[in-house]
Amino acid sequence: MIKYFLIVNKQGQTRLSKYYEHVDINKHTLLETEVVKRCLSRSNEQCSFIEYKDFKLIHRQYAALFIVVGVDDTETEMAIYEFIHNSVEVLDEYFSRVSELDKMFNLDKVHIILDEMVCRIVETNRERILAPLLILYVRNQAW
Amino acid sequence: MALTVVSQIFPREMIPAVLPLIEDKLQHSKEIIRRKAVLALYKFHLIAPNQVQHIHIKFRKALCDRDVGVMAASLHIYLRMIKENSSGYKDLTGSFVTILKQVVGGKLPVDFNYHSVPAPWLQIQLLRILGLLGKDDQRTSELMYDVLDESLRRAELNHNVTYAILFECVHTVYSIYPKSELLEKAAKCIGKFVLSPKINLKYLGLKALTYVIQQDPTLALQHQMTIIECLDHPDPIIKRETLELLYRITNAQNVTVIVQKMLEYLHQSKEEYVIVNLVGKIAELAEKYAPDNAWFIQTMNAVFSVGGDVMHPDIPNNFLRLLAEGFDDETEDQQLRLYAVQSYLTLLDMENVFYPQRFLQVMSWVLGEYSYLLDKETPAEVIAKLYKLLMNDSVSSETKTWLIAAVTKLTPQAHSSDTVERLIHEFTISLDTCMRQHAFELKHLHENVELMTSLLPVDRSCEDLAVDASLSFLDGFVAEGLSQGAAPYKPHHQRQEEKLSQEKVLNFEPYGLSFSSSGFTGRQSPAGISLGSDISGNSAETGLKETNSLKLEGIKKLWGKEGYLPKKESKTGDESGALPIPQESIMENVDQTITKKDQSQVLTQSKEEKEKQLLASSLFVGLGSESTVNLLGKADTVSHKFRRKSKIKEAKSGEASSTHNMTCSSFSSLSNVAYEDDYYLNTLHDRGDKELKTFSLNSELLDSESLTELPLVEKFSNCSLSTPSLFADNSMEIFHPPQSIAASVAKESSLASSFLEETTEYIHSNAMEVCNNETISVSSYKIWKDDCLLMVWSVTNKSGLELKSANLEIFPAENFKVTEQPGCCLPIMEAESTKSFQYSVQIEKPFTEGILSGFIRYHMMDTHSAQLEFSVNLSLLDFIRPLKISSEDFGKLWLSFANDVKQNVKMSESQAALPSALKTLQQKLRLHIIEIIGNEGLLACQLLPSIPCLLHCRVYADVLALWFRSSCSTLPDYLLYQCQKVIEGS
């Protein structure tokens, strides 16, 4: 089960965080900094899976951004690893060459996209993920 | 969007409110809505599985949805449900296999492909489900072989996601019932993973290997070299995973190497979770496979020094137990112990080394117990070392307690005891009460060397010593306390009873001390025998902390036929019970010399003896009388009810049969009392008097109780006869005798009509003569069967002549549906015989009162036919049956019903309390009491055939607020009317 989904940059600033299991809000920052520290300390030669406390972190780097997903041991690491890539592809498609700034200024849309995809791994079909967002977008234009 | 929110954050309480809405959405035309609805249901299933139980069928529909997304979403629910109970879904294996086959075969729309792999996550999900389904089940597994083979074959593309699928495949192949071909292929896959240069794949391979190796250790041999490479891998995560793998393949031969590797890793790692985890594993391996003593002790030393205070407390405890209990071989044990002692002494000799507290505790225990094995060093030297540690500021007070205990144990062996005296001197003024207590114990023991040696025998830690559980040695103390005016101890529940009954039986306010001491008993476990646990439950009882901690090591509980015989390690015993007199004297000395606080300590200590002693002897009588007082209070109400009932009985037609259900209920209240008494006895029982003597006391008490009850129930002599026997048996079948009585009563009243005997399990009314003439008389009963009302008319032929073709007919009535039971038309009716006709009556719509009328037609011998009309009153209550549901179901139903009626009813004085009011409702209206929560009660009933009605009651002052809800609009009104009648009328 996916416990949280984080997007952080290389400076360790959290760009987006979504929790799928209740974590005390005061602990968010603490957890995030811990997680980021660990991910940043990993080199490319080391594998993308880290054990942290009782769950696993799966991280993947895209330019200056890290995407980190925390899962428990019922998930297959590799599947999640690819799932991260899938989500990036979707974002890429929507924002056409996604960048950190895109995510910062369109946080709502990123959230909608993730809502469509995650809960467990729910939807992986790119067009379908974007469908509701496009509807919303079109309506916004109409107003 | 709303559905998304629902599936992410949602309180459990609101589920019933939105559930129907979401169920609707499952039929929505847009697949995205359907998918979201399924996800919302999944969420509900996660947080409250029982609330969505009834819609499992809908999940099946979702699984068969034409849209892939919806189907995929439903898989989450299935994965979850199958995990909980795989056997229930075996029938779906076929569907899952077909789905997977379609997915793997590329039958899905192209846009589901991810890097030209068709819906990889869906595949993974399905494989997971199949793995769960096929576990240890050959038949189900056979269905999957093909598709698994196919997936393995298809997933040969070189892409990460296919590796994920392969991994899942391998996992599944190894979890289901094995098939050699598949296993072979899977093993090949693993080989590919492990050998891959890509680090992520290597990780995956190791993980798979770890899993596989439990079933097939030979596979590890093939990859030996890779594993060893991984062991020296720069990435700690890989290393960690490799260790995990090694842990699984450990055996007696390779344990040294593996543990060595683990320890190396342990020394490098700084993370707490890893340490805790690894330390546990090493300790387990060391215990299981240790090749020799030296190695074992050294490993454990390493474990303790690294693991330190974060490790699981079981580890040191297990270690100490192992040392204490030893193996089969005595010399081996001695060597082990000797080695341990020696190694600890050398460790302690080193300067400026800090050991974790746990390690020090272990050391002190071992040194205390086994130092005598040493030849070279005298106990005095050991004591000196311990003393040095004691003076160390970095040692926690808990550890100091352990240390002092060790010193105490060593003292009798040491003859020159300067250090001991210095220590005593030092710690009798310690601010820590616990330490002070120990110091005083040591001091007194030190003054009396003879006693000390007998108390602290050498190497006896494992030998169990019987402890006087009844604590009879404290009788004197208690007697003294009693003579000084202290209130006799009463069990907690009894005190509550007294408060409840609001009888000022005993005023124990003035005796603050004894009150506070008895206050502690509330916290004691009722099983109260395990002295250790009693003490630990007692915060004031710091003095015995040592006992408390020592207890961890050698205590054994033995269960015997007569109850359980608590036996303790001699150490524990000598502190608290084995040698009672010295202990008491110590305690008294202590409290005289020190403070009031300690005095209360003694009192708390005394309280348990008191408790037991009182239970065992003097107070038992008091208790007996107490409970009779209680009983009388209760019995009064019982008799009261009883009288009321007997009045009713008279009002009705005198025969016992009419009230036999009432009898039942009054009986049940009697047996409630009986239950409570049983409860007393059992708890008393538990409290440690398992001796036969107390048993006889019990039965005496029983006798007295049953005697007090006898007058109350004398009308039912057979009942009261059965009571003592019930008591004596302590049996739970209290409800049985009433039944048999009921049966016998029923027999009497059945007017010899044969069928009644069959139906005695149902409650039935008395016979009522509805009409008669010179030849026949007709009487009727109602039998309240579970599914209908059975009307029985029994026709008695009073004349001496034979009647021909007697025929009973019922006029159709608008509210009823009457069904004839077989045998309603009799060709011949002999002289002076009784025949009966049965009709089952069902209600068609609610009403309060109705009349069922009919006639009987018969032919006399002289062929003239006669007709006799009759009618019977039926009330709504004849069709009300208790609805036995749980509170949860109640909650669900409550929300689903639209029709509600509220009304406040003033209660008469006799039933001002909620339980009694509800009892009345239960008895008179046949409502089922689901639960009573505080001043609220939940009841349920159903109107035949199946219209449920729920009732929620709340009491304030003498007003009972009734709130009915039902699916039928009129039923609540009628029921309310009946309730009002019952409650106001009585």
Side-chain angles (χ1 to χ4, degrees), chain A residues 42 47-48 76-77 79 82 89 115-116 121 123 128, chain B residues 8 35 67 76 114-115 121 160 168 200 203 207 235:
Chain A
R42 311 281 297 171
C47 78
S48 338
T76 313
E77 291 86 348
E82 282 310 299
E89 277 180 11
D115 276 344
E116 287 299 312
I121 299 173
E123 186 60 81
R128 288 192 178 211
Chain B
Q8 288 188 11
R35 199 185 75 214
D67 182 74
H76 291 295
Y114 171 81
H115 291 269
W121 291 280
N160 275 339
E168 208 57 51
N200 283 345
Y203 176 84
K207 215 179 147 200
D235 190 344

PDB file of all heavy atoms in Angstrom, chain A residues 42 47-48 76-77 79 82 89 115-116 121 123 128, chain B residues 8 35 67 76 114-115 121 160 168 200 203 207 235:
ATOM      1  N   ARG A  42      21.943   9.104  -1.653  1.00  0.00           N
ATOM      2  CA  ARG A  42      22.129   7.934  -2.513  1.00  0.00           C
ATOM      3  C   ARG A  42      22.740   8.361  -3.834  1.00  0.00           C
ATOM      4  O   ARG A  42      22.379   9.386  -4.394  1.00  0.00           O
ATOM      5  CB  ARG A  42      20.787   7.256  -2.801  1.00  0.00           C
ATOM      6  CG  ARG A  42      19.951   6.994  -1.594  1.00  0.00           C
ATOM      7  CD  ARG A  42      20.387   5.805  -0.850  1.00  0.00           C
ATOM      8  NE  ARG A  42      20.263   4.598  -1.657  1.00  0.00           N
ATOM      9  CZ  ARG A  42      20.751   3.431  -1.280  1.00  0.00           C
ATOM     10  NH1 ARG A  42      21.407   3.336  -0.144  1.00  0.00           N
ATOM     11  NH2 ARG A  42      20.608   2.380  -2.040  1.00  0.00           N
ATOM     12  N   CYS A  47      20.973   1.389  -5.382  1.00  0.00           N
ATOM     13  CA  CYS A  47      19.641   1.092  -5.883  1.00  0.00           C
ATOM     14  C   CYS A  47      18.619   2.075  -5.332  1.00  0.00           C
ATOM     15  O   CYS A  47      18.861   2.771  -4.364  1.00  0.00           O
ATOM     16  CB  CYS A  47      19.254  -0.350  -5.609  1.00  0.00           C
ATOM     17  SG  CYS A  47      18.751  -0.690  -3.953  1.00  0.00           S
ATOM     18  N   SER A  48      17.480   2.104  -5.997  1.00  0.00           N
ATOM     19  CA  SER A  48      16.519   3.161  -5.719  1.00  0.00           C
ATOM     20  C   SER A  48      15.565   2.827  -4.573  1.00  0.00           C
ATOM     21  O   SER A  48      14.550   3.479  -4.421  1.00  0.00           O
ATOM     22  CB  SER A  48      15.698   3.455  -6.964  1.00  0.00           C
ATOM     23  OG  SER A  48      16.360   3.030  -8.098  1.00  0.00           O
ATOM     24  N   THR A  76       5.321  -4.290  -4.613  1.00  0.00           N
ATOM     25  CA  THR A  76       6.559  -4.640  -5.289  1.00  0.00           C
ATOM     26  C   THR A  76       7.300  -3.349  -5.617  1.00  0.00           C
ATOM     27  O   THR A  76       6.730  -2.444  -6.214  1.00  0.00           O
ATOM     28  CB  THR A  76       6.252  -5.378  -6.598  1.00  0.00           C
ATOM     29  OG1 THR A  76       5.294  -6.367  -6.323  1.00  0.00           O
ATOM     30  CG2 THR A  76       7.487  -5.993  -7.163  1.00  0.00           C
ATOM     31  N   GLU A  77       8.544  -3.300  -5.242  1.00  0.00           N
ATOM     32  CA  GLU A  77       9.288  -2.051  -5.410  1.00  0.00           C
ATOM     33  C   GLU A  77       9.357  -1.638  -6.871  1.00  0.00           C
ATOM     34  O   GLU A  77       9.183  -0.475  -7.209  1.00  0.00           O
ATOM     35  CB  GLU A  77      10.718  -2.195  -4.869  1.00  0.00           C
ATOM     36  CG  GLU A  77      10.829  -2.333  -3.376  1.00  0.00           C
ATOM     37  CD  GLU A  77      10.668  -3.761  -2.931  1.00  0.00           C
ATOM     38  OE1 GLU A  77      10.245  -4.587  -3.755  1.00  0.00           O
ATOM     39  OE2 GLU A  77      10.953  -4.048  -1.765  1.00  0.00           O
ATOM     40  N   ALA A  79       7.428  -2.271  -9.329  1.00  0.00           N
ATOM     41  CA  ALA A  79       6.168  -1.786  -9.871  1.00  0.00           C
ATOM     42  C   ALA A  79       5.973  -0.328  -9.494  1.00  0.00           C
ATOM     43  O   ALA A  79       5.540   0.491 -10.319  1.00  0.00           O
ATOM     44  CB  ALA A  79       5.014  -2.628  -9.348  1.00  0.00           C
ATOM     45  N   GLU A  82       8.252   1.952 -11.505  1.00  0.00           N
ATOM     46  CA  GLU A  82       7.720   2.255 -12.822  1.00  0.00           C
ATOM     47  C   GLU A  82       6.487   3.124 -12.754  1.00  0.00           C
ATOM     48  O   GLU A  82       6.228   3.927 -13.640  1.00  0.00           O
ATOM     49  CB  GLU A  82       7.401   0.952 -13.564  1.00  0.00           C
ATOM     50  CG  GLU A  82       8.611   0.287 -14.133  1.00  0.00           C
ATOM     51  CD  GLU A  82       9.475   1.255 -14.938  1.00  0.00           C
ATOM     52  OE1 GLU A  82       8.967   1.795 -15.934  1.00  0.00           O
ATOM     53  OE2 GLU A  82      10.633   1.479 -14.562  1.00  0.00           O
ATOM     54  N   GLU A  89       5.278  10.687 -16.747  1.00  0.00           N
ATOM     55  CA  GLU A  89       4.866  10.760 -18.144  1.00  0.00           C
ATOM     56  C   GLU A  89       3.547  11.496 -18.292  1.00  0.00           C
ATOM     57  O   GLU A  89       3.360  12.297 -19.201  1.00  0.00           O
ATOM     58  CB  GLU A  89       4.742   9.354 -18.731  1.00  0.00           C
ATOM     59  CG  GLU A  89       6.074   8.799 -19.183  1.00  0.00           C
ATOM     60  CD  GLU A  89       5.924   7.409 -19.755  1.00  0.00           C
ATOM     61  OE1 GLU A  89       4.786   6.980 -19.989  1.00  0.00           O
ATOM     62  OE2 GLU A  89       6.953   6.741 -19.950  1.00  0.00           O
ATOM     63  N   ASP A 115      -4.729  12.260  -7.750  1.00  0.00           N
ATOM     64  CA  ASP A 115      -5.955  11.670  -7.206  1.00  0.00           C
ATOM     65  C   ASP A 115      -6.497  10.603  -8.138  1.00  0.00           C
ATOM     66  O   ASP A 115      -7.046   9.591  -7.698  1.00  0.00           O
ATOM     67  CB  ASP A 115      -7.017  12.749  -7.017  1.00  0.00           C
ATOM     68  CG  ASP A 115      -6.828  13.470  -5.707  1.00  0.00           C
ATOM     69  OD1 ASP A 115      -6.099  12.920  -4.857  1.00  0.00           O
ATOM     70  OD2 ASP A 115      -7.391  14.560  -5.539  1.00  0.00           O
ATOM     71  N   GLU A 116      -6.375  10.881  -9.429  1.00  0.00           N
ATOM     72  CA  GLU A 116      -6.859   9.903 -10.377  1.00  0.00           C
ATOM     73  C   GLU A 116      -6.016   8.632 -10.353  1.00  0.00           C
ATOM     74  O   GLU A 116      -6.527   7.529 -10.533  1.00  0.00           O
ATOM     75  CB  GLU A 116      -6.830  10.484 -11.796  1.00  0.00           C
ATOM     76  CG  GLU A 116      -7.898  11.526 -12.060  1.00  0.00           C
ATOM     77  CD  GLU A 116      -9.298  10.950 -11.903  1.00  0.00           C
ATOM     78  OE1 GLU A 116      -9.567   9.886 -12.440  1.00  0.00           O
ATOM     79  OE2 GLU A 116     -10.113  11.596 -11.212  1.00  0.00           O
ATOM     80  N   ILE A 121      -2.623   1.777  -6.668  1.00  0.00           N
ATOM     81  CA  ILE A 121      -2.434   2.152  -8.058  1.00  0.00           C
ATOM     82  C   ILE A 121      -3.758   1.929  -8.734  1.00  0.00           C
ATOM     83  O   ILE A 121      -4.238   0.802  -8.820  1.00  0.00           O
ATOM     84  CB  ILE A 121      -1.351   1.284  -8.716  1.00  0.00           C
ATOM     85  CG1 ILE A 121      -0.059   1.497  -7.970  1.00  0.00           C
ATOM     86  CG2 ILE A 121      -1.207   1.651 -10.171  1.00  0.00           C
ATOM     87  CD1 ILE A 121       1.038   0.587  -8.400  1.00  0.00           C
ATOM     88  N   GLU A 123      -5.257   4.043 -11.692  1.00  0.00           N
ATOM     89  CA  GLU A 123      -5.409   4.264 -13.113  1.00  0.00           C
ATOM     90  C   GLU A 123      -4.037   4.519 -13.713  1.00  0.00           C
ATOM     91  O   GLU A 123      -3.240   5.274 -13.175  1.00  0.00           O
ATOM     92  CB  GLU A 123      -6.331   5.470 -13.332  1.00  0.00           C
ATOM     93  CG  GLU A 123      -6.680   5.712 -14.759  1.00  0.00           C
ATOM     94  CD  GLU A 123      -7.404   4.531 -15.373  1.00  0.00           C
ATOM     95  OE1 GLU A 123      -8.599   4.413 -15.166  1.00  0.00           O
ATOM     96  OE2 GLU A 123      -6.755   3.723 -16.075  1.00  0.00           O
ATOM     97  N   ARG A 128      -7.047   8.555 -19.789  1.00  0.00           N
ATOM     98  CA  ARG A 128      -8.104   8.550 -18.793  1.00  0.00           C
ATOM     99  C   ARG A 128      -7.757   9.403 -17.588  1.00  0.00           C
ATOM    100  O   ARG A 128      -8.629   9.999 -16.966  1.00  0.00           O
ATOM    101  CB  ARG A 128      -8.352   7.136 -18.314  1.00  0.00           C
ATOM    102  CG  ARG A 128      -9.021   6.324 -19.354  1.00  0.00           C
ATOM    103  CD  ARG A 128      -9.465   5.088 -18.712  1.00  0.00           C
ATOM    104  NE  ARG A 128     -10.155   4.274 -19.668  1.00  0.00           N
ATOM    105  CZ  ARG A 128     -11.121   3.461 -19.319  1.00  0.00           C
ATOM    106  NH1 ARG A 128     -11.457   3.378 -18.071  1.00  0.00           N
ATOM    107  NH2 ARG A 128     -11.722   2.741 -20.212  1.00  0.00           N
TER     108      ARG A 128
ATOM    109  N   GLN B   8     -10.966   9.236  -0.110  1.00  0.00           N
ATOM    110  CA  GLN B   8      -9.739   9.567   0.609  1.00  0.00           C
ATOM    111  C   GLN B   8      -9.936   9.899   2.063  1.00  0.00           C
ATOM    112  O   GLN B   8      -9.243   9.380   2.929  1.00  0.00           O
ATOM    113  CB  GLN B   8      -9.031  10.712  -0.113  1.00  0.00           C
ATOM    114  CG  GLN B   8      -8.452  10.193  -1.405  1.00  0.00           C
ATOM    115  CD  GLN B   8      -7.586  11.213  -2.068  1.00  0.00           C
ATOM    116  OE1 GLN B   8      -7.257  12.221  -1.490  1.00  0.00           O
ATOM    117  NE2 GLN B   8      -7.213  10.936  -3.285  1.00  0.00           N
ATOM    118  N   ARG B  35     -15.962   3.903 -11.545  1.00  0.00           N
ATOM    119  CA  ARG B  35     -14.682   3.562 -10.950  1.00  0.00           C
ATOM    120  C   ARG B  35     -14.512   4.239  -9.593  1.00  0.00           C
ATOM    121  O   ARG B  35     -14.113   3.628  -8.611  1.00  0.00           O
ATOM    122  CB  ARG B  35     -13.557   4.012 -11.885  1.00  0.00           C
ATOM    123  CG  ARG B  35     -12.258   3.322 -11.585  1.00  0.00           C
ATOM    124  CD  ARG B  35     -11.160   3.883 -12.435  1.00  0.00           C
ATOM    125  NE  ARG B  35     -10.755   5.182 -11.959  1.00  0.00           N
ATOM    126  CZ  ARG B  35     -10.339   6.165 -12.742  1.00  0.00           C
ATOM    127  NH1 ARG B  35     -10.313   6.005 -14.036  1.00  0.00           N
ATOM    128  NH2 ARG B  35      -9.957   7.302 -12.230  1.00  0.00           N
ATOM    129  N   ASP B  67     -15.890  -2.020 -18.513  1.00  0.00           N
ATOM    130  CA  ASP B  67     -14.769  -1.091 -18.558  1.00  0.00           C
ATOM    131  C   ASP B  67     -13.604  -1.627 -17.726  1.00  0.00           C
ATOM    132  O   ASP B  67     -13.791  -2.102 -16.606  1.00  0.00           O
ATOM    133  CB  ASP B  67     -15.193   0.261 -18.010  1.00  0.00           C
ATOM    134  CG  ASP B  67     -14.054   1.252 -18.106  1.00  0.00           C
ATOM    135  OD1 ASP B  67     -13.764   1.699 -19.222  1.00  0.00           O
ATOM    136  OD2 ASP B  67     -13.439   1.530 -17.073  1.00  0.00           O
ATOM    137  N   HIS B  76      -8.900  -4.217  -6.199  1.00  0.00           N
ATOM    138  CA  HIS B  76      -8.364  -3.819  -4.897  1.00  0.00           C
ATOM    139  C   HIS B  76      -9.201  -4.397  -3.766  1.00  0.00           C
ATOM    140  O   HIS B  76      -8.688  -4.882  -2.773  1.00  0.00           O
ATOM    141  CB  HIS B  76      -8.323  -2.301  -4.780  1.00  0.00           C
ATOM    142  CG  HIS B  76      -7.314  -1.677  -5.668  1.00  0.00           C
ATOM    143  ND1 HIS B  76      -5.974  -1.895  -5.518  1.00  0.00           N
ATOM    144  CD2 HIS B  76      -7.444  -0.854  -6.733  1.00  0.00           C
ATOM    145  CE1 HIS B  76      -5.318  -1.220  -6.450  1.00  0.00           C
ATOM    146  NE2 HIS B  76      -6.182  -0.589  -7.204  1.00  0.00           N
ATOM    147  N   TYR B 114       1.633   0.283 -21.349  1.00  0.00           N
ATOM    148  CA  TYR B 114       2.654   1.154 -20.815  1.00  0.00           C
ATOM    149  C   TYR B 114       3.957   0.636 -21.365  1.00  0.00           C
ATOM    150  O   TYR B 114       4.362  -0.498 -21.058  1.00  0.00           O
ATOM    151  CB  TYR B 114       2.622   1.094 -19.287  1.00  0.00           C
ATOM    152  CG  TYR B 114       3.776   1.803 -18.628  1.00  0.00           C
ATOM    153  CD1 TYR B 114       3.756   3.183 -18.455  1.00  0.00           C
ATOM    154  CD2 TYR B 114       4.883   1.098 -18.184  1.00  0.00           C
ATOM    155  CE1 TYR B 114       4.803   3.832 -17.864  1.00  0.00           C
ATOM    156  CE2 TYR B 114       5.935   1.737 -17.580  1.00  0.00           C
ATOM    157  CZ  TYR B 114       5.899   3.114 -17.429  1.00  0.00           C
ATOM    158  OH  TYR B 114       6.943   3.750 -16.833  1.00  0.00           O
ATOM    159  N   HIS B 115       4.585   1.415 -22.197  1.00  0.00           N
ATOM    160  CA  HIS B 115       5.801   0.974 -22.880  1.00  0.00           C
ATOM    161  C   HIS B 115       5.589  -0.387 -23.516  1.00  0.00           C
ATOM    162  O   HIS B 115       6.344  -1.326 -23.297  1.00  0.00           O
ATOM    163  CB  HIS B 115       6.985   0.933 -21.910  1.00  0.00           C
ATOM    164  CG  HIS B 115       7.395   2.293 -21.476  1.00  0.00           C
ATOM    165  ND1 HIS B 115       8.336   3.042 -22.117  1.00  0.00           N
ATOM    166  CD2 HIS B 115       6.951   3.062 -20.468  1.00  0.00           C
ATOM    167  CE1 HIS B 115       8.474   4.201 -21.518  1.00  0.00           C
ATOM    168  NE2 HIS B 115       7.645   4.257 -20.522  1.00  0.00           N
ATOM    169  N   TRP B 121       0.317  -2.936 -14.176  1.00  0.00           N
ATOM    170  CA  TRP B 121      -0.070  -2.936 -12.755  1.00  0.00           C
ATOM    171  C   TRP B 121      -1.282  -3.815 -12.523  1.00  0.00           C
ATOM    172  O   TRP B 121      -1.418  -4.424 -11.476  1.00  0.00           O
ATOM    173  CB  TRP B 121      -0.316  -1.509 -12.292  1.00  0.00           C
ATOM    174  CG  TRP B 121       0.965  -0.754 -12.261  1.00  0.00           C
ATOM    175  CD1 TRP B 121       1.916  -0.813 -11.279  1.00  0.00           C
ATOM    176  CD2 TRP B 121       1.481   0.095 -13.267  1.00  0.00           C
ATOM    177  NE1 TRP B 121       2.980  -0.028 -11.622  1.00  0.00           N
ATOM    178  CE2 TRP B 121       2.762   0.540 -12.841  1.00  0.00           C
ATOM    179  CE3 TRP B 121       1.011   0.531 -14.502  1.00  0.00           C
ATOM    180  CZ2 TRP B 121       3.549   1.404 -13.587  1.00  0.00           C
ATOM    181  CZ3 TRP B 121       1.792   1.390 -15.239  1.00  0.00           C
ATOM    182  CH2 TRP B 121       3.051   1.828 -14.788  1.00  0.00           C
ATOM    183  N   ASN B 160      11.860  -2.332 -17.257  1.00  0.00           N
ATOM    184  CA  ASN B 160      11.699  -2.413 -15.809  1.00  0.00           C
ATOM    185  C   ASN B 160      10.368  -3.002 -15.385  1.00  0.00           C
ATOM    186  O   ASN B 160      10.305  -3.832 -14.492  1.00  0.00           O
ATOM    187  CB  ASN B 160      11.831  -1.018 -15.209  1.00  0.00           C
ATOM    188  CG  ASN B 160      13.274  -0.666 -14.975  1.00  0.00           C
ATOM    189  OD1 ASN B 160      14.109  -1.568 -14.892  1.00  0.00           O
ATOM    190  ND2 ASN B 160      13.576   0.605 -14.893  1.00  0.00           N
ATOM    191  N   GLU B 168       6.593 -10.603  -9.604  1.00  0.00           N
ATOM    192  CA  GLU B 168       5.305 -10.970  -9.035  1.00  0.00           C
ATOM    193  C   GLU B 168       4.939 -12.393  -9.454  1.00  0.00           C
ATOM    194  O   GLU B 168       4.391 -13.163  -8.676  1.00  0.00           O
ATOM    195  CB  GLU B 168       4.263  -9.967  -9.517  1.00  0.00           C
ATOM    196  CG  GLU B 168       3.109  -9.780  -8.584  1.00  0.00           C
ATOM    197  CD  GLU B 168       3.516  -9.350  -7.193  1.00  0.00           C
ATOM    198  OE1 GLU B 168       4.282  -8.370  -7.079  1.00  0.00           O
ATOM    199  OE2 GLU B 168       3.087  -9.990  -6.226  1.00  0.00           O
ATOM    200  N   ASN B 200      19.007  -2.195  -9.209  1.00  0.00           N
ATOM    201  CA  ASN B 200      17.623  -2.383  -8.783  1.00  0.00           C
ATOM    202  C   ASN B 200      17.177  -3.813  -9.015  1.00  0.00           C
ATOM    203  O   ASN B 200      16.449  -4.389  -8.212  1.00  0.00           O
ATOM    204  CB  ASN B 200      16.711  -1.445  -9.555  1.00  0.00           C
ATOM    205  CG  ASN B 200      16.813  -0.039  -9.024  1.00  0.00           C
ATOM    206  OD1 ASN B 200      17.340   0.157  -7.924  1.00  0.00           O
ATOM    207  ND2 ASN B 200      16.356   0.919  -9.787  1.00  0.00           N
ATOM    208  N   TYR B 203      18.618  -6.122  -6.460  1.00  0.00           N
ATOM    209  CA  TYR B 203      17.825  -6.023  -5.238  1.00  0.00           C
ATOM    210  C   TYR B 203      16.581  -6.890  -5.339  1.00  0.00           C
ATOM    211  O   TYR B 203      16.262  -7.668  -4.438  1.00  0.00           O
ATOM    212  CB  TYR B 203      17.436  -4.565  -5.011  1.00  0.00           C
ATOM    213  CG  TYR B 203      16.539  -4.335  -3.841  1.00  0.00           C
ATOM    214  CD1 TYR B 203      17.061  -4.203  -2.563  1.00  0.00           C
ATOM    215  CD2 TYR B 203      15.163  -4.264  -4.007  1.00  0.00           C
ATOM    216  CE1 TYR B 203      16.245  -3.995  -1.488  1.00  0.00           C
ATOM    217  CE2 TYR B 203      14.332  -4.062  -2.927  1.00  0.00           C
ATOM    218  CZ  TYR B 203      14.873  -3.918  -1.662  1.00  0.00           C
ATOM    219  OH  TYR B 203      14.051  -3.731  -0.601  1.00  0.00           O
ATOM    220  N   LYS B 207      15.563 -10.243  -3.247  1.00  0.00           N
ATOM    221  CA  LYS B 207      14.309 -10.313  -2.513  1.00  0.00           C
ATOM    222  C   LYS B 207      13.544 -11.576  -2.899  1.00  0.00           C
ATOM    223  O   LYS B 207      13.010 -12.293  -2.036  1.00  0.00           O
ATOM    224  CB  LYS B 207      13.470  -9.083  -2.819  1.00  0.00           C
ATOM    225  CG  LYS B 207      12.690  -8.634  -1.629  1.00  0.00           C
ATOM    226  CD  LYS B 207      11.883  -7.414  -1.920  1.00  0.00           C
ATOM    227  CE  LYS B 207      10.616  -7.480  -1.097  1.00  0.00           C
ATOM    228  NZ  LYS B 207       9.580  -6.622  -1.612  1.00  0.00           N
ATOM    229  N   ASP B 235      26.618  -0.837  -1.483  1.00  0.00           N
ATOM    230  CA  ASP B 235      25.307  -0.308  -1.092  1.00  0.00           C
ATOM    231  C   ASP B 235      24.773  -1.044   0.136  1.00  0.00           C
ATOM    232  O   ASP B 235      24.536  -2.252   0.108  1.00  0.00           O
ATOM    233  CB  ASP B 235      24.338  -0.488  -2.265  1.00  0.00           C
ATOM    234  CG  ASP B 235      23.037   0.241  -2.023  1.00  0.00           C
ATOM    235  OD1 ASP B 235      22.786   0.600  -0.846  1.00  0.00           O
ATOM    236  OD2 ASP B 235      22.291   0.456  -2.972  1.00  0.00           O
TER     237      ASP B 235
END
